[in-house]
Amino acid sequence: RGKTDRRTSDRFPMEREIRFKMLSKRLGDESGAGTSVNMSSGGIYFQSDKPLIPGKRVEMAISWPAQLDNRCALKLIARGKVVRYEAGCAAVEIQQYEFRTVGIHGLTV
């Protein structure tokens, strides 16, 4: 990494389906979808079908490649702050996350 790279953790290429919603009462229930480009323990970079405003909080449901007990699909629920949006891609700093099983409603947040 170069001197200007502020990331503190390694990023891993990971192409997964994402559903997101903005966590702002003023923006209402604005939601969208996308595909991850890469992830780390501290952030995610993904292609978005909608522009995301830097500084705003977002909640994301990310399809996870592993299964619980080899039979139950998992999703990663992550909440964080949009740090950058350019050329159809958003960078989000992850502030909290948890794994959940994918229920009958699929990949929802």
Side-chain angles (χ1 to χ4, degrees), residues 67-82:
Q67 293 186 324
L68 180 64
D69 296 331
N70 289 322
R71 58 189 166 93
C72 188
L74 291 173
K75 60 184 172 182
L76 174 65
I77 302 295
R79 291 172 202 85
K81 183 174 69 175
V82 179

Side-chain angles (χ1 to χ4, degrees), residues 8-20:
T8 57
S9 51
D10 290 333
R11 294 204 170 242
F12 300 97
M14 184 179 284
E15 191 174 311
R16 306 301 300 174
E17 179 187 0
I18 295 178
R19 301 264 183 239
F20 64 85

Side-chain angles (χ1 to χ4, degrees), residues 49-84:
D49 65 351
K50 291 187 177 167
L52 298 174
I53 302 166
K56 297 297 182 187
R57 289 185 36 80
V58 64
E59 181 176 75
M60 301 162 287
I62 303 146
S63 68
W64 202 247
Q67 293 186 324
L68 180 64
D69 296 331
N70 289 322
R71 58 189 166 93
C72 188
L74 291 173
K75 60 184 172 182
L76 174 65
I77 302 295
R79 291 172 202 85
K81 183 174 69 175
V82 179
V83 293
R84 187 172 75 252

Side-chain angles (χ1 to χ4, degrees), residues 36-53:
S36 64
V37 175
N38 61 48
M39 292 180 70
S40 74
S41 59
I44 182 166
Y45 186 65
F46 66 97
Q47 294 175 330
S48 171
D49 65 351
K50 291 187 177 167
L52 298 174
I53 302 166

